[in-house]
Amino acid sequence: MSDDTRSELYAELAAVGPYGTRPGHALITMVEPHPGHEYAYNRWYEDDHYYGGAMAMPWMYAGRRWVATRDLQLLRYPEKSAIAQPVTAGCYLSTYWITAGRYDDHMRWTVAINRRLNRDGRVYHDRTHVLTAFQDHEATVYRDGAAGPRDVHALDHPYTGLVLQVVESGTSEQRAALLEWLRTRHLPKRLAGSPAALVTVFRPTPLPGDRMTYVKQVEGVDTRLTLLWFLQADPRECWEHCFTGLDTAVAESGLGRVELVAPFIPTVPGTDRYVDRLR
């Protein structure tokens, strides 16, 4: 046993605290590699950062990367988005589940490990964080009720596509009403008969004050909701029928407005597939 790793503490830590399987929290991060750096960024993330900067951390137990090729980027709306300027920015999306009740523990580790990664030259800086936020799980709505994979499986199940939707309300009180409308009325209606098997709904949490300076503070902590639609079809095949008009539906509810609807397909781990189709 090596004293410098403090291995003797692991047995103590394993004996305390929540250790269920529910995805109580998430990290959702949408990033734009700088022009000319697409291949290098992808190799860094695939070969190093996905593991050393995410999956190897305590309580982050599932993850998946997604990509928006240029044709998928051009499907996004609204054109004037508070999230992405221009709305096509952010061609890579990474999503991670964190064990319920372990947010604070994970955050202490992730801040420390990112300092170490920076010190050791293992951070790729030619990129822009378009949307990066840790989030608390609020609801999951299923198309098929108790049948099919649960939200805990969503990042491991071979879904064909994902749609990221960000909705903004006016106040924290209005957000509670928006969440209830989404959970009980809007999402069940939209999911019925669609290729989307489930939708997870999260609310963003503020990043710690000692976060890395290249990641901007989260906006809309009290007013925003983030939705992930998990699809059993390529989003291009069902876009017009299933995903146009989401902004109109939310606006007509009187409870908020849509700031981003963006489709993605899964990356193929270990490869550079799709990197030549980003621009």
Side-chain angles (χ1 to χ4, degrees):
M1 182 184 297
S2 176
D3 292 338
D4 60 358
T5 63
R6 304 186 187 181
S7 296
E8 69 280 359
L9 296 178
Y10 281 61
E12 296 180 28
L13 293 172
V16 297
Y19 68 123
T21 59
R22 190 173 68 84
H25 321 276
L27 170 60
I28 300 171
T29 175
M30 186 167 69
V31 172
E32 179 74 10
H34 295 171
H37 292 265
E38 295 85 356
Y39 279 93
Y41 168 78
N42 187 60
R43 288 269 47 88
W44 164 75
Y45 207 106
E46 283 289 311
D47 299 341
D48 190 4
H49 197 62
Y50 178 82
Y51 301 103
M55 294 305 297
M57 296 192 197
W59 308 115
M60 181 172 273
Y61 66 88
R64 196 164 192 188
R65 290 188 76 208
W66 312 82
V67 61
T69 52
R70 186 62 181 173
D71 56 341
L72 288 165
Q73 296 167 32
L74 294 174
L75 295 176
R76 295 180 181 181
Y77 65 91
E79 183 179 355
K80 294 183 178 180
S81 167
I83 308 299
Q85 300 91 32
V87 72
T88 52
C91 55
Y92 282 106
L93 178 72
S94 295
T95 51
Y96 302 97
W97 289 170
I98 300 168
T99 302
R102 289 295 191 170
Y103 176 79
D104 291 341
D105 298 334
H106 177 78
M107 285 305 300
R108 293 183 69 179
W109 188 284
T110 194
V111 169
I113 202 69
N114 274 284
R115 287 177 178 170
R116 183 181 181 185
L117 291 170
N118 270 278
R119 182 195 70 198
D120 294 346
R122 287 176 61 183
V123 174
Y124 197 89
H125 290 289
D126 288 305
R127 56 175 173 150
T128 298
H129 282 262
V130 178
L131 171 67
T132 293
F134 285 87
Q135 315 236 0
D136 287 342
H137 180 259
E138 286 284 3
T140 300
V141 182
Y142 297 97
R143 181 192 60 201
D144 303 324
R150 304 290 86 190
D151 51 14
V152 66
H153 310 118
L155 301 184
D156 295 306
H157 187 79
Y159 286 114
T160 312
L162 177 141
V163 173
L164 168 69
Q165 180 183 4
V166 180
V167 184
E168 188 83 35
S169 63
T171 65
S172 58
E173 293 78 12
Q174 193 175 46
R175 182 174 69 177
L178 174 62
L179 173 62
E180 184 65 11
W181 175 78
L182 287 168
R183 186 180 65 82
T184 62
R185 297 177 59 188
H186 176 67
L187 294 178
K189 180 180 178 181
R190 281 278 182 167
L191 284 170
S194 82
L198 63 97
V199 181
T200 56
V201 185
F202 294 89
R203 58 177 173 86
T205 61
L207 289 169
D210 53 356
R211 71 191 185 280
M212 296 299 103
T213 56
Y214 50 79
V215 182
K216 64 182 181 180
Q217 186 53 273
V218 177
E219 300 173 347
V221 169
D222 296 321
T223 55
R224 188 170 288 175
L225 292 172
T226 307
L227 288 71
L228 300 177
W229 300 68
F230 290 90
L231 311 183
Q232 294 172 318
D234 188 306
R236 288 164 288 206
E237 298 173 0
C238 57
W239 190 254
E240 185 173 353
H241 177 65
C242 298
F243 290 101
T244 57
L246 290 180
D247 52 347
T248 301
V250 172
E252 288 177 349
S253 76
L255 298 171
R257 65 183 181 277
V258 166
E259 289 292 358
L260 182 65
V261 181
F264 293 85
I265 55 177
T267 62
V268 180
T271 75
D272 290 319
R273 189 174 299 181
Y274 307 118
V275 175
D276 59 350
R277 294 168 55 188
L278 302 178
R279 309 300 181 196

